[in-house]
Amino acid sequence: MAEAHQAVAFQFTVTPEGIDLQLSHQALKEIYLSGVRAWKKRCARIRNNIVTGVYPASPSSWLFVALTVVGTMYTRVDPSMGMIGKIKEHLPVKRCLSHQGQNIMSALLFATVLWLALIYMMRQILKTLLSYHGWMFEEHGKASNMTRIWFTMVKIFSGRKPMLYSFQASLPRLPVPTIQDTMQRYLESVRPLMNDEEFHRMEALAKDFEVKLGPRLQWYLKLKSWWATNYVSDWWEEYVYLRGREPIMVNSNYYAMDFLYVTPTPIQAARAGNLTHALLLYRRKLTREEIKPSTLPGLPVPLCSSQWERMFNSTRTPGQETGKTAHFVIVNANLQLGFLFHCISPTCWVVNAGTWNTPRALTGALFERIPWGKARKSFFSNGKNRSSLDCVEKAAFFLTLDGDKPGLQVEDPVKSLDAYAKLLLHGKCYDRWFDKSFTLIVFENGKVGLNAEHSWADAPIIGHLWEVMYDPLQITKGVGTGSGRTKYPFDLGMNSHLDCQEVISGSLKVAQSLANDVDFHTFPFTKFGKGLIKKCRTSPDAFIQLALQLANFRDKGKFCLTYESSMTRLFREGRTETVRSCTIQSSNFVRAMEDHLSASECLKLFHLAAKTHQHISRLSMAGCGIDRHLFCLYVVSKYLGVHSPFLQEVLSEPWSLSTSQTPLQQVELFDLLNHPEYISCGGGFGPVSDQVASSFCVVSVNYVPF
């Protein structure tokens, strides 16, 4: 009865003496605090919108402009060149104001318009500056005078103390490449993959497309680029991710791995409590837009921040033809059997009595081990199951307490890391919620990892979260079992039917078959890192890609279409572009190595190939890539109901080698040179092809600074 009494704010009883009214002060206090928190959030959101809306100026700059304009009036100088007088003549409230009041009101209105015009001008100047990418193609360390002036201008017009979304309105739109440029670059990219007859055939198809159908499709694409914020991103998310009908486990989701040599605590609940606390602090900063916007490393060039918006409290929901990404912590403790993509879990309160639960309190809560049943979305349409599903889908993120004990074993590093990576990529196939924006996985020995859904954002965004969460200042070396007040996890509950169990069993078999078909080969490489590569005046990325081309040719005896992701976040709502790493120059280098030419000749071809790779990578970053343009042209052709043999063939070409790299230390929280034990194995993703040869597919490359 005590619990029931506390569940209501008041109760009353009608007696012969009247109405006996009893108030629960604790409940009323909670209602009051809830309202205060809600209004604080509203006010903070309004404030953030104002500050971001007037950036790169500040709201206080209006006062400076207003005082300057009003002050000049008393010096008998009209800075408006008659505009203040015109405003005064048409003031709707001038009858209610004195002559002096009309002057001040007119001056303030003019100052406001002038202030807004200055903001618009500053923003347009910054957007124009950020549309210039010539600096990107200059040799490293040899910036021209024009580039130095450009960097100075960007710093001046970038303002001070930007918030997370301050630069969004100043970022340029992604440009649409010309049909001619795309055709030329495409043919250059496929030349080393085809013999003369195949290439001449493809050349004829490309030329026919460029002259006939291409200009028509390009016109519609140009129209979209003028109207939409980004002509690629919405279609990319819709058709590449959400309309995909394959399981997103292995095929889409990617993972991030823990420190290799450091485990702050072997206590599972302690590690989970600390990291959950760190994630919630990050979410609070994200909500308040206090996260510093990302820039290119060492440069004042801002990157798009739009992908941060759906990091927390988001889930991907499936549909018949397409899915969607829709916007309490969910805890999953050693499931016995669960649905392939959805597992109902206990709910853990992370805010208690209006205050954040401490890592110690969360540690105690996370010791609970509650077994859970099976579920499938079609059985969660109403009642208790619907409520449970809503709790999971609206959760901040998903947390799994895993019973395995992975980690780097010095005596067998390859086998141990292979097992670790597979646990993070797919687990046991029933103990992850792959549709959530991300799942935090904490193992029994204190090691952790993360599995991220791909449609809402790309790896660098999760990488930023991962690094901030790993701030050594937030890592507790040892935490007890927890004490103090906290609300313990409770069972969301569900009603499981026999039909549901049969569907789950069938889905589990499919998932296990998919997981068993994935081979990993992960190992730490400590002989040298990016520092040595840079000393050789070579791009680490180009070095790795050329090494992959050589290894792949020796493995398969031929060249293949190679995918490397490159970001386009220099543009608003930009995501990725493809760098076609297999080039004419890289194939010449590989053949020279295989033909055992002299070292000097091979080195010459290597530097030429590396320079070419850097050039096409920069073109992709500058919005001049090939594949996103071709993809959008293909989408337009489908909407128009026209068939293009060229686009059909291009879009059906398999990526037999898929690679990616996400640099470490986006935020530089600690010095890896002096603390190399804080190195991570980075992350990875599943193969993109069903062919046996795709087992050579490379996971994310991270350059160890040893």
Side-chain angles (χ1 to χ4, degrees):
M1 293 301 294
E3 290 82 359
H5 179 74
Q6 294 295 329
V8 295
F10 66 91
Q11 62 179 8
F12 66 91
T13 305
V14 179
T15 66
E17 290 78 18
I19 297 178
D20 181 19
L21 179 63
Q22 298 181 10
L23 297 177
S24 171
H25 295 287
Q26 179 63 31
L28 290 177
K29 180 181 178 181
E30 289 298 323
I31 292 174
Y32 169 75
L33 292 175
S34 177
V36 170
R37 288 193 297 270
W39 277 105
K40 283 184 177 179
K41 288 181 179 179
R42 290 191 185 100
C43 293
R45 192 175 296 114
I46 293 173
R47 173 188 170 276
N48 291 344
N49 289 339
I50 293 174
V51 172
T52 300
V54 302
Y55 199 83
S58 64
S60 60
S61 63
W62 174 86
L63 183 61
F64 172 79
V65 174
L67 291 176
T68 301
V69 172
V70 173
T72 55
M73 293 179 61
Y74 290 95
T75 62
R76 297 184 178 182
V77 175
D78 185 4
S80 69
M81 294 183 293
M83 290 297 298
I84 294 178
K86 293 289 184 180
I87 295 174
K88 182 179 177 181
E89 292 177 3
H90 297 87
L91 271 180
V93 293
K94 63 181 181 180
R95 294 182 180 179
C96 304
L97 298 173
S98 64
H99 178 73
Q100 186 71 11
Q102 293 177 28
N103 289 336
I104 294 176
M105 178 64 72
S106 301
L108 290 177
L109 288 174
F110 171 77
T112 302
V113 173
L114 176 63
W115 179 64
L116 294 174
L118 289 173
I119 291 173
Y120 177 79
M121 182 181 68
M122 291 175 64
R123 189 173 288 174
Q124 291 303 116
I125 291 175
L126 182 58
K127 181 180 290 188
T128 302
L129 288 170
L130 295 178
S131 298
Y132 170 72
H133 300 110
W135 58 271
M136 195 184 302
F137 298 91
E138 293 184 353
E139 187 176 349
H140 182 69
K142 296 183 179 180
S144 64
N145 291 332
M146 179 179 177
T147 296
R148 291 192 181 97
I149 295 173
W150 178 82
F151 278 129
T152 302
M153 295 290 290
V154 170
K155 288 181 180 179
I156 293 174
F157 285 95
S158 291
R160 299 173 57 219
K161 297 180 180 180
M163 302 181 72
L164 179 60
Y165 304 117
S166 292
F167 290 114
Q168 291 302 100
S170 300
L171 292 174
R173 294 173 182 246
L174 181 67
V176 182
T178 66
I179 292 287
Q180 293 77 13
D181 287 346
T182 296
M183 293 300 101
Q184 178 186 347
R185 291 171 186 151
Y186 170 77
L187 291 173
E188 290 176 355
S189 72
V190 298
R191 187 62 187 94
L193 310 178
M194 301 178 177
N195 57 38
D196 292 342
E197 182 180 351
E198 292 171 336
F199 180 74
H200 290 321
R201 173 183 167 275
M202 182 55 71
E203 193 174 31
L205 284 175
K207 188 63 178 179
D208 181 74
F209 175 79
E210 178 183 335
V211 174
K212 296 181 179 178
L213 183 58
R216 180 187 175 192
L217 303 181
Q218 180 82 345
W219 185 87
Y220 284 97
L221 209 54
K222 279 281 190 179
L223 183 63
K224 186 192 177 186
S225 72
W226 297 334
W227 175 254
T229 306
N230 188 295
Y231 82 93
V232 175
S233 294
D234 57 340
W235 284 351
W236 185 255
E237 180 177 323
E238 173 75 14
Y239 295 105
V240 173
Y241 292 116
L242 298 181
R243 282 187 179 265
R245 299 295 85 192
E246 293 181 329
I248 61 176
M249 183 194 80
V250 175
N251 293 311
S252 179
N253 286 29
Y254 56 94
Y255 72 86
M257 193 175 283
D258 197 3
F259 297 130
L260 285 182
Y261 307 104
V262 175
T263 305
T265 173
I267 304 174
Q268 183 183 35
R271 192 83 196 275
N274 276 278
L275 292 181
T276 297
H277 189 255
L279 285 170
L280 294 171
L281 291 177
Y282 187 93
R283 186 179 71 158
R284 182 168 63 179
K285 292 184 69 175
L286 176 59
T287 303
R288 296 176 177 178
E289 301 181 21
E290 294 174 352
I291 296 174
K292 186 178 179 180
S294 296
T295 60
L296 287 178
L299 299 174
V301 183
L303 302 177
C304 180
S305 300
S306 64
Q307 295 182 49
W308 262 270
E309 295 176 356
R310 297 181 291 179
M311 179 175 287
F312 292 95
N313 302 89
S314 299
T315 193
R316 173 174 170 170
T317 56
Q320 292 295 324
E321 294 183 0
T322 183
K324 64 180 180 179
T325 303
H327 285 319
F328 213 13
V329 171
I330 301 300
V331 181
N332 169 18
N334 290 335
L335 295 178
Q336 299 301 315
L337 182 63
F339 177 45
L340 175 59
F341 300 118
H342 304 297
C343 316
I344 295 304
S345 310
T347 300
C348 174
W349 293 93
V350 294
V351 179
N352 186 29
T355 60
W356 292 93
N357 268 338
T358 64
R360 187 176 183 86
L362 286 167
T363 298
L366 292 168
F367 263 119
E368 294 293 320
R369 308 283 186 173
I370 306 174
W372 295 106
K374 309 159 295 274
R376 182 175 172 83
K377 186 178 179 181
S378 60
F379 294 92
F380 284 75
S381 57
N382 52 54
K384 191 175 185 179
N385 288 359
R386 179 71 259 175
S387 300
S388 298
L389 184 64
D390 285 343
C391 284
V392 176
E393 292 184 342
K394 295 176 182 178
F397 56 91
F398 197 80
L399 171 62
T400 290
L401 300 179
D402 197 297
D404 290 293
K405 300 179 181 180
L408 175 64
Q409 303 296 328
V410 179
E411 61 276 9
D412 194 351
V414 174
K415 185 177 180 181
S416 60
L417 287 180
D418 290 351
Y420 193 179
K422 283 179 68 68
L423 282 172
L424 295 176
L425 184 65
H426 54 67
K428 300 180 181 67
C429 303
Y430 54 74
D431 51 356
R432 312 283 188 263
W433 193 289
F434 296 101
D435 276 354
K436 284 299 293 181
S437 53
F438 67 90
T439 296
L440 176 64
I441 305 158
V442 184
F443 296 97
E444 190 172 342
N445 59 354
K447 302 301 290 185
V448 300
L450 180 144
N451 184 286
E453 200 274 316
H454 210 325
S455 66
W456 65 276
D458 301 307
I461 312 304
I462 279 292
H464 186 278
L465 167 72
W466 203 233
E467 290 186 24
V468 173
M469 185 181 70
Y470 272 175
D471 185 348
L473 297 178
Q474 297 187 30
I475 296 175
T476 303
K477 295 296 182 181
V479 181
T481 58
S483 62
R485 296 176 57 194
T486 185
K487 295 182 179 180
Y488 284 90
F490 58 90
D491 190 339
L492 289 176
M494 57 166 286
N495 297 318
S496 178
H497 306 285
L498 182 60
D499 292 343
C500 177
Q501 296 177 17
E502 292 177 354
V503 173
I504 291 170
S505 298
S507 298
L508 180 61
K509 291 179 181 178
V510 173
Q512 289 174 334
S513 176
L514 176 61
N516 293 335
D517 195 39
V518 176
D519 295 325
F520 260 90
H521 189 70
T522 307
F523 61 94
F525 183 81
T526 59
K527 293 183 179 180
F528 62 87
K530 66 178 181 181
L532 179 61
I533 299 173
K534 287 183 176 180
K535 287 181 181 179
C536 299
R537 304 184 64 83
T538 299
S539 160
D541 175 52
F543 178 90
I544 292 293
Q545 290 296 326
L546 290 173
L548 293 175
Q549 289 298 316
L550 179 59
N552 184 62
F553 187 84
R554 288 177 175 176
D555 179 65
K556 300 178 182 177
K558 63 178 181 180
F559 297 104
C560 67
L561 196 60
T562 305
Y563 181 104
E564 183 191 8
S565 60
S566 172
M567 68 91 178
T568 55
R569 288 170 56 213
L570 292 171
F571 305 95
R572 190 169 183 179
E573 294 186 12
R575 292 199 57 165
T576 61
E577 178 58 271
T578 302
V579 178
R580 295 183 169 226
S581 302
C582 184
T583 63
I584 297 173
Q585 291 76 13
S586 68
S587 61
N588 290 338
F589 161 72
V590 170
R591 288 194 177 96
M593 291 290 291
E594 291 299 277
D595 294 340
H596 304 288
L597 298 185
S598 65
S600 60
E601 186 67 22
C602 290
L603 187 60
K604 179 181 177 181
L605 292 172
F606 170 83
H607 282 300
L608 180 60
K611 186 176 181 180
T612 301
H613 181 82
Q614 285 184 278
H615 181 72
I616 62 174
S617 297
R618 290 164 179 167
L619 283 173
S620 297
M621 289 179 60
C624 301
I626 300 171
D627 289 276
R628 299 302 178 267
H629 186 205
L630 292 173
F631 161 76
C632 288
L633 290 171
Y634 180 75
V635 173
V636 173
S637 73
K638 290 299 180 183
Y639 278 126
L640 296 179
V642 296
H643 177 69
S644 168
F646 170 75
L647 290 177
Q648 185 68 38
E649 189 162 335
V650 170
L651 271 295
S652 62
E653 293 173 343
W655 298 97
S656 299
L657 181 61
S658 183
T659 72
S660 181
Q661 56 91 12
T662 301
L664 297 174
Q665 284 194 293
Q666 293 188 52
V667 290
E668 297 184 357
L669 294 173
F670 44 86
D671 185 2
L672 279 176
L673 290 176
N674 295 321
H675 298 282
E677 68 274 13
Y678 284 111
I679 197 68
S680 167
C681 201
F685 53 90
V688 298
S689 173
D690 292 332
Q691 301 172 5
V692 176
S694 67
S695 60
F696 188 67
C697 179
V698 180
V699 300
S700 298
V701 178
N702 292 276
Y703 308 119
V704 184
F706 289 159

